[in-house]
Amino acid sequence: MTATDAPALSDSEETAEGPVEPELLVVDSTEVALDDFLWVKRPVVVFADSEADPRFQKQMELLLDRPEALIERDVVVITDTDPAARTSVRTKLRPRGFQLTLLAKDGNVNLRKPSPWDVREISHAIDKWPLRKQEIRDAAAGR
């Protein structure tokens, strides 16, 4: 899947039943490459050595409990819980055990954390980034 295949998540869609709220895009690292999201989405990558890792389970719970803030910030969540798969995402970011990694739209790693973070902390970190500040200014100016 590429970013162009992914649904536009920042806009609500209309159906015969009414508006459809956007959903947080969560993909497995075996299905994507980080370059798929350049200048389109902000990847939040959650690594673990197993889906059974309590930190992985807690991180996913935290992300899925408050998806609206992540959708607003153009976040895509990428999961990687199989070190043996040696995905391009894992090869590029080189985690050890559990790791939460936040990337900017330009593909640069802006933050690595060895423990779960809640959506408020992630949103606060993203809102400090220069491109996100520009997006906020543009939205306020109606662009």
Side-chain angles (χ1 to χ4, degrees):
M1 176 196 314
T2 65
T4 55
D5 296 333
L9 300 179
S10 58
D11 300 317
S12 293
E13 296 179 24
E14 279 290 323
T15 66
E17 294 82 31
V20 175
E21 292 301 315
E23 293 183 22
L24 180 63
L25 182 61
V26 178
V27 296
D28 189 274
S29 63
T30 59
E31 300 173 9
V32 297
L34 293 175
D35 289 346
D36 294 342
F37 301 103
L38 278 178
W39 302 110
V40 179
K41 298 283 183 192
R42 291 181 175 92
V44 170
V45 187
V46 184
F47 290 104
D49 290 341
S50 164
E51 286 186 24
D53 184 327
R55 295 168 297 181
F56 176 79
Q57 293 175 354
K58 179 65 175 177
Q59 183 63 73
M60 294 309 296
E61 178 185 312
L62 291 169
L63 294 172
L64 297 174
D65 277 351
R66 291 198 44 227
E68 307 81 20
L70 299 174
I71 293 166
E72 179 182 328
R73 288 163 179 82
D74 297 328
V75 165
V76 58
V77 176
I78 301 172
T79 61
D80 188 321
T81 58
D82 183 6
R86 298 183 190 248
T87 64
S88 64
V89 175
R90 186 173 283 271
T91 301
K92 181 173 182 177
L93 299 177
R94 306 177 76 195
R96 292 188 181 148
F98 177 87
Q99 180 175 287
L100 175 67
T101 307
L102 280 62
L103 287 87
K105 285 185 176 180
D106 64 5
N108 287 321
V109 174
N110 281 6
L111 192 64
R112 294 176 194 258
K113 290 292 174 184
S115 58
W117 261 27
D118 66 28
V119 171
R120 181 186 58 77
E121 292 169 310
I122 293 168
S123 298
H124 184 70
I126 291 171
D127 288 346
K128 292 179 182 179
W129 301 348
L131 182 56
R132 177 64 183 148
K133 288 180 179 181
Q134 183 62 49
E135 291 170 349
I136 293 167
R137 284 191 298 270
D138 289 351
R143 291 185 236 167

